[in-house]
Amino acid sequence: MAAMLRLLRSAGPPMLFRFSLYGFLKNLRFFDAFLVLALRERGLDFLAIGTLVAIREVTVLVLEVPSGALADALGRKRCMVASMVGYIASGLLLGLSSNVWLLGLAMVAYGFGDAFRSGTHKAMILAWLRQQGRLDERTRIYGYTRSWSQFGSAISALAGGGLLLAGTGYRSMFLASSFVATLNLINLATYPNELDGARPAKGQMIGGTYRQLMATIRSVVRQGSLRTLLISGVAVRSGYKVAKDYLQPVLQALALSVPLALDWEPEQRIGVIVGVVSAALFLLSSYASRQAHRYERHYGDPDRGARALILQHAVAFAVLGAALALGLVWPAIALFIVLAIGQNLWRPVQVGRLGLAGPEDQIATVLSIESQMAAFFAACMAPAVGWLVDLVADGRTPVPLTALAPVALLGLPLLVGLGRMRPPSPGRVTP
């Protein structure tokens, strides 16, 4: 950990270090690369797991826009601290309980954490960039901080695999994640107050929050270009939010089929394979985030770059479905990695586009609306795809690779996003 902190300090100005530290600690959720496998160990089928995912996403759906408006109206630091409290509670419940109702409550706490942090921290970064006169660096800076999030995910996957290898089981991952969330709560609570943004006077907080929310919704409804940005963002994010967890049973199938350490317990072999492959995926994603500004510059126009990424995602989902249907494990893993890299090119480009198109004092709420819309479609798709996987698997455990082919249906929203984005006219460059 000390070596990681020294490396993070090379990020540059103190706040850039703090932003990067937040992302690094946030993604030290040691169970992320193993969540589906941990729930399967407790006897849950894919429909039940999809329902738990839907509970998490519905919680985000309900809280996302109010949380963004609260962040803009009441103070972003408070909302970020509340987010960490949600993650702490979620990790404790997931680690200590097998009761399905308590697991559902854990997902509510998880969704609460996601809702209160998603657009809020990005708004704090954008506020800092404006204060520093560096707003033109928004894609590069956000890509840099996001790369540290992905680096944290890589370390998290390796550490989670190490816990399985040591024989501590899946539960220890959840409890360790709660401890890290506590460290991040301390980091966020000590952010400078000037990143909170303008806040209404006492007694006007509820009214200020409501007015903030209504003003942002009016901006989205009236501004066609902003609506298109939101729809394209939802198309890219929603399917992947559900699809990424299906990499875990693919890696489980690989771990149980390769002649690796045959004297080990299956759980230990799964820990090594899932940990190593997931860590490689997140390291590649970290690199992709850092290169997002170069990707954007390559196309000469953020909209052209965004359209290319949507098309690439759609093709990757289609080919992934074919690979799973044919039982081709290595191509399927490679395509999951391609999708992850695409996501980490997309987010810095998309945040930069929204930062330009959205009103300055409503940016957290605009980002929250995007996350809310993505949560809605993810909540609809997760149980449906889980049910289809169970139907094809017909009770077989571990689930055969061919039964995962319905995951390709999660790419369908991309066709809507692609249809909404007309190719920019030649020579046009977005300011």
PDB file of all heavy atoms in Angstrom, residues 358-380:
ATOM      1  N   GLY A 358     -23.486  20.517 -21.048  1.00  0.00           N
ATOM      2  CA  GLY A 358     -24.361  20.772 -19.915  1.00  0.00           C
ATOM      3  C   GLY A 358     -24.064  22.090 -19.231  1.00  0.00           C
ATOM      4  O   GLY A 358     -22.930  22.567 -19.249  1.00  0.00           O
ATOM      5  N   PRO A 359     -25.079  22.713 -18.600  1.00  0.00           N
ATOM      6  CA  PRO A 359     -24.858  23.945 -17.840  1.00  0.00           C
ATOM      7  C   PRO A 359     -23.871  23.704 -16.703  1.00  0.00           C
ATOM      8  O   PRO A 359     -23.928  22.667 -16.036  1.00  0.00           O
ATOM      9  CB  PRO A 359     -26.261  24.277 -17.299  1.00  0.00           C
ATOM     10  CG  PRO A 359     -27.208  23.514 -18.171  1.00  0.00           C
ATOM     11  CD  PRO A 359     -26.477  22.291 -18.597  1.00  0.00           C
ATOM     12  N   GLU A 360     -23.004  24.678 -16.464  1.00  0.00           N
ATOM     13  CA  GLU A 360     -21.916  24.504 -15.502  1.00  0.00           C
ATOM     14  C   GLU A 360     -22.422  24.167 -14.109  1.00  0.00           C
ATOM     15  O   GLU A 360     -21.868  23.304 -13.426  1.00  0.00           O
ATOM     16  CB  GLU A 360     -21.063  25.779 -15.457  1.00  0.00           C
ATOM     17  CG  GLU A 360     -19.908  25.707 -14.471  1.00  0.00           C
ATOM     18  CD  GLU A 360     -19.051  26.967 -14.495  1.00  0.00           C
ATOM     19  OE1 GLU A 360     -19.098  27.686 -15.510  1.00  0.00           O
ATOM     20  OE2 GLU A 360     -18.357  27.215 -13.509  1.00  0.00           O
ATOM     21  N   ASP A 361     -23.502  24.832 -13.658  1.00  0.00           N
ATOM     22  CA  ASP A 361     -23.975  24.629 -12.300  1.00  0.00           C
ATOM     23  C   ASP A 361     -24.907  23.426 -12.162  1.00  0.00           C
ATOM     24  O   ASP A 361     -25.459  23.175 -11.093  1.00  0.00           O
ATOM     25  CB  ASP A 361     -24.690  25.887 -11.789  1.00  0.00           C
ATOM     26  CG  ASP A 361     -25.922  26.224 -12.622  1.00  0.00           C
ATOM     27  OD1 ASP A 361     -26.024  25.716 -13.764  1.00  0.00           O
ATOM     28  OD2 ASP A 361     -26.777  26.985 -12.136  1.00  0.00           O
ATOM     29  N   GLN A 362     -25.080  22.664 -13.260  1.00  0.00           N
ATOM     30  CA  GLN A 362     -25.976  21.508 -13.217  1.00  0.00           C
ATOM     31  C   GLN A 362     -25.271  20.224 -13.638  1.00  0.00           C
ATOM     32  O   GLN A 362     -25.921  19.201 -13.855  1.00  0.00           O
ATOM     33  CB  GLN A 362     -27.175  21.752 -14.149  1.00  0.00           C
ATOM     34  CG  GLN A 362     -28.020  22.953 -13.768  1.00  0.00           C
ATOM     35  CD  GLN A 362     -29.031  23.310 -14.853  1.00  0.00           C
ATOM     36  OE1 GLN A 362     -29.176  22.610 -15.848  1.00  0.00           O
ATOM     37  NE2 GLN A 362     -29.728  24.428 -14.661  1.00  0.00           N
ATOM     38  N   ILE A 363     -23.934  20.262 -13.712  1.00  0.00           N
ATOM     39  CA  ILE A 363     -23.212  19.149 -14.323  1.00  0.00           C
ATOM     40  C   ILE A 363     -23.383  17.860 -13.528  1.00  0.00           C
ATOM     41  O   ILE A 363     -23.533  16.772 -14.103  1.00  0.00           O
ATOM     42  CB  ILE A 363     -21.713  19.495 -14.523  1.00  0.00           C
ATOM     43  CG1 ILE A 363     -21.012  18.397 -15.314  1.00  0.00           C
ATOM     44  CG2 ILE A 363     -21.019  19.747 -13.192  1.00  0.00           C
ATOM     45  CD1 ILE A 363     -21.560  18.202 -16.700  1.00  0.00           C
ATOM     46  N   ALA A 364     -23.372  17.936 -12.184  1.00  0.00           N
ATOM     47  CA  ALA A 364     -23.546  16.714 -11.392  1.00  0.00           C
ATOM     48  C   ALA A 364     -24.914  16.098 -11.664  1.00  0.00           C
ATOM     49  O   ALA A 364     -25.061  14.870 -11.751  1.00  0.00           O
ATOM     50  CB  ALA A 364     -23.382  17.002  -9.902  1.00  0.00           C
ATOM     51  N   THR A 365     -25.944  16.933 -11.805  1.00  0.00           N
ATOM     52  CA  THR A 365     -27.287  16.429 -12.060  1.00  0.00           C
ATOM     53  C   THR A 365     -27.387  15.826 -13.458  1.00  0.00           C
ATOM     54  O   THR A 365     -28.026  14.784 -13.655  1.00  0.00           O
ATOM     55  CB  THR A 365     -28.319  17.559 -11.895  1.00  0.00           C
ATOM     56  OG1 THR A 365     -28.023  18.281 -10.700  1.00  0.00           O
ATOM     57  CG2 THR A 365     -29.722  17.003 -11.797  1.00  0.00           C
ATOM     58  N   VAL A 366     -26.763  16.451 -14.460  1.00  0.00           N
ATOM     59  CA  VAL A 366     -26.762  15.907 -15.823  1.00  0.00           C
ATOM     60  C   VAL A 366     -26.105  14.533 -15.843  1.00  0.00           C
ATOM     61  O   VAL A 366     -26.634  13.567 -16.428  1.00  0.00           O
ATOM     62  CB  VAL A 366     -26.045  16.862 -16.795  1.00  0.00           C
ATOM     63  CG1 VAL A 366     -25.833  16.191 -18.144  1.00  0.00           C
ATOM     64  CG2 VAL A 366     -26.852  18.140 -16.977  1.00  0.00           C
ATOM     65  N   LEU A 367     -24.942  14.407 -15.194  1.00  0.00           N
ATOM     66  CA  LEU A 367     -24.256  13.118 -15.142  1.00  0.00           C
ATOM     67  C   LEU A 367     -25.087  12.087 -14.399  1.00  0.00           C
ATOM     68  O   LEU A 367     -25.096  10.903 -14.742  1.00  0.00           O
ATOM     69  CB  LEU A 367     -22.886  13.290 -14.477  1.00  0.00           C
ATOM     70  CG  LEU A 367     -21.843  14.037 -15.317  1.00  0.00           C
ATOM     71  CD1 LEU A 367     -20.674  14.490 -14.450  1.00  0.00           C
ATOM     72  CD2 LEU A 367     -21.346  13.180 -16.471  1.00  0.00           C
ATOM     73  N   SER A 368     -25.810  12.530 -13.384  1.00  0.00           N
ATOM     74  CA  SER A 368     -26.659  11.614 -12.634  1.00  0.00           C
ATOM     75  C   SER A 368     -27.848  11.139 -13.474  1.00  0.00           C
ATOM     76  O   SER A 368     -28.269   9.989 -13.365  1.00  0.00           O
ATOM     77  CB  SER A 368     -27.166  12.292 -11.357  1.00  0.00           C
ATOM     78  OG  SER A 368     -26.109  12.496 -10.456  1.00  0.00           O
ATOM     79  N   ILE A 369     -28.406  12.022 -14.294  1.00  0.00           N
ATOM     80  CA  ILE A 369     -29.505  11.612 -15.180  1.00  0.00           C
ATOM     81  C   ILE A 369     -29.021  10.518 -16.130  1.00  0.00           C
ATOM     82  O   ILE A 369     -29.727   9.525 -16.365  1.00  0.00           O
ATOM     83  CB  ILE A 369     -30.052  12.828 -15.957  1.00  0.00           C
ATOM     84  CG1 ILE A 369     -30.833  13.753 -15.028  1.00  0.00           C
ATOM     85  CG2 ILE A 369     -30.945  12.377 -17.115  1.00  0.00           C
ATOM     86  CD1 ILE A 369     -31.272  15.059 -15.665  1.00  0.00           C
ATOM     87  N   GLU A 370     -27.824  10.676 -16.659  1.00  0.00           N
ATOM     88  CA  GLU A 370     -27.275   9.648 -17.545  1.00  0.00           C
ATOM     89  C   GLU A 370     -27.150   8.314 -16.815  1.00  0.00           C
ATOM     90  O   GLU A 370     -27.540   7.261 -17.330  1.00  0.00           O
ATOM     91  CB  GLU A 370     -25.910  10.080 -18.089  1.00  0.00           C
ATOM     92  CG  GLU A 370     -25.343   9.095 -19.100  1.00  0.00           C
ATOM     93  CD  GLU A 370     -23.845   9.264 -19.311  1.00  0.00           C
ATOM     94  OE1 GLU A 370     -23.137   9.525 -18.329  1.00  0.00           O
ATOM     95  OE2 GLU A 370     -23.401   9.100 -20.450  1.00  0.00           O
ATOM     96  N   SER A 371     -26.602   8.347 -15.583  1.00  0.00           N
ATOM     97  CA  SER A 371     -26.455   7.120 -14.810  1.00  0.00           C
ATOM     98  C   SER A 371     -27.806   6.507 -14.473  1.00  0.00           C
ATOM     99  O   SER A 371     -27.977   5.288 -14.468  1.00  0.00           O
ATOM    100  CB  SER A 371     -25.677   7.403 -13.514  1.00  0.00           C
ATOM    101  OG  SER A 371     -24.348   7.739 -13.796  1.00  0.00           O
ATOM    102  N   GLN A 372     -28.799   7.356 -14.200  1.00  0.00           N
ATOM    103  CA  GLN A 372     -30.129   6.855 -13.866  1.00  0.00           C
ATOM    104  C   GLN A 372     -30.750   6.132 -15.051  1.00  0.00           C
ATOM    105  O   GLN A 372     -31.328   5.046 -14.908  1.00  0.00           O
ATOM    106  CB  GLN A 372     -31.035   7.996 -13.421  1.00  0.00           C
ATOM    107  CG  GLN A 372     -32.389   7.493 -12.921  1.00  0.00           C
ATOM    108  CD  GLN A 372     -33.385   8.622 -12.747  1.00  0.00           C
ATOM    109  OE1 GLN A 372     -33.476   9.497 -13.603  1.00  0.00           O
ATOM    110  NE2 GLN A 372     -34.132   8.603 -11.660  1.00  0.00           N
ATOM    111  N   MET A 373     -30.618   6.720 -16.234  1.00  0.00           N
ATOM    112  CA  MET A 373     -31.177   6.080 -17.420  1.00  0.00           C
ATOM    113  C   MET A 373     -30.485   4.741 -17.689  1.00  0.00           C
ATOM    114  O   MET A 373     -31.137   3.748 -18.041  1.00  0.00           O
ATOM    115  CB  MET A 373     -31.037   7.012 -18.617  1.00  0.00           C
ATOM    116  CG  MET A 373     -31.916   8.263 -18.528  1.00  0.00           C
ATOM    117  SD  MET A 373     -31.472   9.538 -19.758  1.00  0.00           S
ATOM    118  CE  MET A 373     -31.893   8.694 -21.292  1.00  0.00           C
ATOM    119  N   ALA A 374     -29.158   4.697 -17.518  1.00  0.00           N
ATOM    120  CA  ALA A 374     -28.426   3.445 -17.707  1.00  0.00           C
ATOM    121  C   ALA A 374     -28.869   2.404 -16.684  1.00  0.00           C
ATOM    122  O   ALA A 374     -29.012   1.212 -17.008  1.00  0.00           O
ATOM    123  CB  ALA A 374     -26.923   3.699 -17.591  1.00  0.00           C
ATOM    124  N   ALA A 375     -29.108   2.837 -15.439  1.00  0.00           N
ATOM    125  CA  ALA A 375     -29.564   1.925 -14.394  1.00  0.00           C
ATOM    126  C   ALA A 375     -30.930   1.338 -14.728  1.00  0.00           C
ATOM    127  O   ALA A 375     -31.188   0.151 -14.491  1.00  0.00           O
ATOM    128  CB  ALA A 375     -29.611   2.645 -13.053  1.00  0.00           C
ATOM    129  N   PHE A 376     -31.815   2.153 -15.300  1.00  0.00           N
ATOM    130  CA  PHE A 376     -33.154   1.673 -15.652  1.00  0.00           C
ATOM    131  C   PHE A 376     -33.069   0.521 -16.650  1.00  0.00           C
ATOM    132  O   PHE A 376     -33.693  -0.539 -16.459  1.00  0.00           O
ATOM    133  CB  PHE A 376     -33.985   2.815 -16.217  1.00  0.00           C
ATOM    134  CG  PHE A 376     -35.305   2.373 -16.796  1.00  0.00           C
ATOM    135  CD1 PHE A 376     -36.373   2.065 -15.960  1.00  0.00           C
ATOM    136  CD2 PHE A 376     -35.467   2.248 -18.178  1.00  0.00           C
ATOM    137  CE1 PHE A 376     -37.589   1.647 -16.488  1.00  0.00           C
ATOM    138  CE2 PHE A 376     -36.675   1.827 -18.709  1.00  0.00           C
ATOM    139  CZ  PHE A 376     -37.737   1.526 -17.867  1.00  0.00           C
ATOM    140  N   PHE A 377     -32.304   0.715 -17.717  1.00  0.00           N
ATOM    141  CA  PHE A 377     -32.212  -0.335 -18.729  1.00  0.00           C
ATOM    142  C   PHE A 377     -31.454  -1.553 -18.213  1.00  0.00           C
ATOM    143  O   PHE A 377     -31.808  -2.697 -18.549  1.00  0.00           O
ATOM    144  CB  PHE A 377     -31.568   0.222 -20.002  1.00  0.00           C
ATOM    145  CG  PHE A 377     -32.483   1.107 -20.791  1.00  0.00           C
ATOM    146  CD1 PHE A 377     -32.354   2.484 -20.753  1.00  0.00           C
ATOM    147  CD2 PHE A 377     -33.507   0.574 -21.552  1.00  0.00           C
ATOM    148  CE1 PHE A 377     -33.213   3.312 -21.458  1.00  0.00           C
ATOM    149  CE2 PHE A 377     -34.380   1.385 -22.265  1.00  0.00           C
ATOM    150  CZ  PHE A 377     -34.226   2.771 -22.222  1.00  0.00           C
ATOM    151  N   ALA A 378     -30.439  -1.339 -17.371  1.00  0.00           N
ATOM    152  CA  ALA A 378     -29.731  -2.473 -16.778  1.00  0.00           C
ATOM    153  C   ALA A 378     -30.664  -3.276 -15.877  1.00  0.00           C
ATOM    154  O   ALA A 378     -30.644  -4.520 -15.885  1.00  0.00           O
ATOM    155  CB  ALA A 378     -28.513  -1.983 -15.984  1.00  0.00           C
ATOM    156  N   ALA A 379     -31.514  -2.579 -15.100  1.00  0.00           N
ATOM    157  CA  ALA A 379     -32.457  -3.260 -14.207  1.00  0.00           C
ATOM    158  C   ALA A 379     -33.467  -4.087 -14.996  1.00  0.00           C
ATOM    159  O   ALA A 379     -33.901  -5.155 -14.548  1.00  0.00           O
ATOM    160  CB  ALA A 379     -33.181  -2.241 -13.329  1.00  0.00           C
ATOM    161  N   CYS A 380     -33.850  -3.607 -16.167  1.00  0.00           N
ATOM    162  CA  CYS A 380     -34.786  -4.362 -17.011  1.00  0.00           C
ATOM    163  C   CYS A 380     -34.118  -5.576 -17.636  1.00  0.00           C
ATOM    164  O   CYS A 380     -34.729  -6.661 -17.736  1.00  0.00           O
ATOM    165  CB  CYS A 380     -35.337  -3.464 -18.114  1.00  0.00           C
ATOM    166  SG  CYS A 380     -36.405  -2.131 -17.537  1.00  0.00           S
TER     167      CYS A 380
END
